[in-house]
Each structure stands twice: as structure tokens, then as C-alpha cells.
Amino acid sequence: MSSDAVSCVVDVPESLLLRAWRDELVERHGVDPRSDYVEQFWLPLLGPTSILLLRRLASELERSTTDACELALEPTARALGIGTRGGRNSPLVRTLTRCSQFRLLDLRREVGEVLARTRLPTLTRAQGARLPEPLREEHDAYLAHREGSRALAELRDRAQKMALTLLQMGEDPVAAERHLHHLRFHPAMARAAICWAVERHAAQAAAAVLSAPDA
């Protein structure tokens, strides 16, 4: 066997340990690799093979009962319509490396494992600027809508926490709602927050009674 052939065998093992890459921030705000967002916005930057690989890895981890499983490279390459021949320059290794460069997975050749994200981050501003102009405009609109929705959710959470605190301090619902108005919460949001807080406060009071020791 030639030295090149030996190098190919050594460089590309039969399998890697596939583990989930858990990133709290991305897990909370990211997108599923199989989502329309990935197909619309990540695809122009990564190419179809990388997208198919990321989706396949997410599905493999989803089917696993743990956060780790074996990733057989030859069947994976065949499923993607590419090969493993060529050692470190094989299509599969190049695809793994490309995804790693974008920090969508972490290829750890030295220990024979790959960490794959189960949710992908949205494009950064710099990455979004590389999209074709029509897609760039769509992505800017997507981010604006997403950020607006997130801000609204945070405002709703603050209103609910404030309403519950007021009830716990002894204010009646009418006075608590008026207090939220003074804090410039929208009347509809204040009303929804009070309704939520009344139910939550009643549940807390009932739980306290049940957990109290018998007299």
C-alpha cells in the first residue's frame, strides 16, 4: 500500500462520536437546522451539502436516547451523495471542516468526535451582509420582527412580575391594574398581566394552605 493510501486510511476513521453541542444562548434564540430560516438564509453561505449534513446530524441526535451516538462516515457520505476518498481532502471532511469554520459544529479529529449544534444561530450582521440583496433585505426584516417580538415578550414578563408583586403586597386587582397604567404599560397588556397574576396568586395561596402543617 502506498504512503498516500495509508495516510487516507489514518486521516479518515470509519466513524466519529457524535455529540450534541449545547450552547444556552443558541439553544434559546437559535433555529432548528431543518427550518425554513436555514434553507433561506444559511444555504447561500454554506451550500447544499453542508445544510444536508447539519440536518442529518440534528436528526441523528434527535433519534438518540442520549446526547451522543456513533456517526458512521461512509454511510453518511453516501446518504449525502458524496464520498470519503481523499483523506483530509475528501468531500465529507471538507464539508465537516466548512461547518466547523462557521462554528456550526466542532470537529475534534484528535479525539475522534464531532460536536454538532441541535439549533443553529441566526446569521450575524456581517454574514447577513454577504447575502444577495433581495435576501439581505428579507433577513434584515426578519431580524427586526424577531427583535420586536422579543422586546414585547420581555415587556409582558415585566408586567406580569410587577402585577404579581403588587398582589402579593396586598393590593387588590383594580388598584394593581391602575398602578400598571401609571407605569405606562399599555392598558391591554396591564389587563392581561393582572388576569395572569390573579390566577397565579390564587394558585400560590392554595398551595401554601395545602403545604401548611395541621394545627
Side-chain angles (χ1 to χ4, degrees), residues 152 155-164 167 173 176-177 180-181 185-200:
L152 182 62
L155 189 62
R156 182 172 57 247
D157 288 344
R158 288 203 298 272
Q160 290 177 342
K161 290 177 182 177
M162 176 62 70
L164 182 58
L167 295 183
E177 186 173 351
L180 292 183
H181 291 167
F185 285 102
H186 189 278
M189 182 174 289
R191 164 57 58 179
I194 290 296
C195 291
W196 175 88
V198 167
E199 292 184 6
R200 184 68 178 271

Side-chain angles (χ1 to χ4, degrees), residues 40-70:
Q40 186 173 10
F41 299 121
W42 270 114
L43 178 60
L45 299 183
L46 291 176
T49 304
S50 294
I51 297 299
L52 289 174
L53 174 63
L54 292 169
R55 289 180 170 180
R56 184 174 184 85
L57 298 185
S59 296
E60 291 284 348
L61 289 168
E62 191 175 80
R63 286 192 292 268
S64 175
T65 56
T66 65
D67 272 355
C69 61
E70 182 182 13

Side-chain angles (χ1 to χ4, degrees), residues 20 35 46 60 63 72-73 75 86-87 94 97 117 132 141 166 172 178 190 208:
S35 67
L46 291 176
E60 291 284 348
R63 286 192 292 268
L73 298 189
R94 289 202 306 270
T97 301
R117 294 188 185 274
L166 291 170
D172 63 78
R178 187 161 53 245

Side-chain angles (χ1 to χ4, degrees), residues 23 25-26 29-31 37 41-42 45-46 101-104 117 120-132 135-144 146-147 150:
D23 182 316
L25 187 62
V26 177
H29 301 299
V31 295
Y37 176 93
F41 299 121
W42 270 114
L45 299 183
L46 291 176
Q101 290 169 343
F102 280 86
R103 293 188 54 76
L104 302 178
R117 294 188 185 274
L120 304 186
T122 54
L123 301 186
T124 64
R125 292 290 182 182
Q127 290 167 339
R130 295 168 52 189
L131 294 171
L135 278 180
R136 185 166 64 248
E137 293 175 355
E138 289 184 33
H139 191 256
D140 289 344
Y142 171 88
L143 290 181
R146 182 184 176 102
E147 290 168 4
R150 187 179 302 169

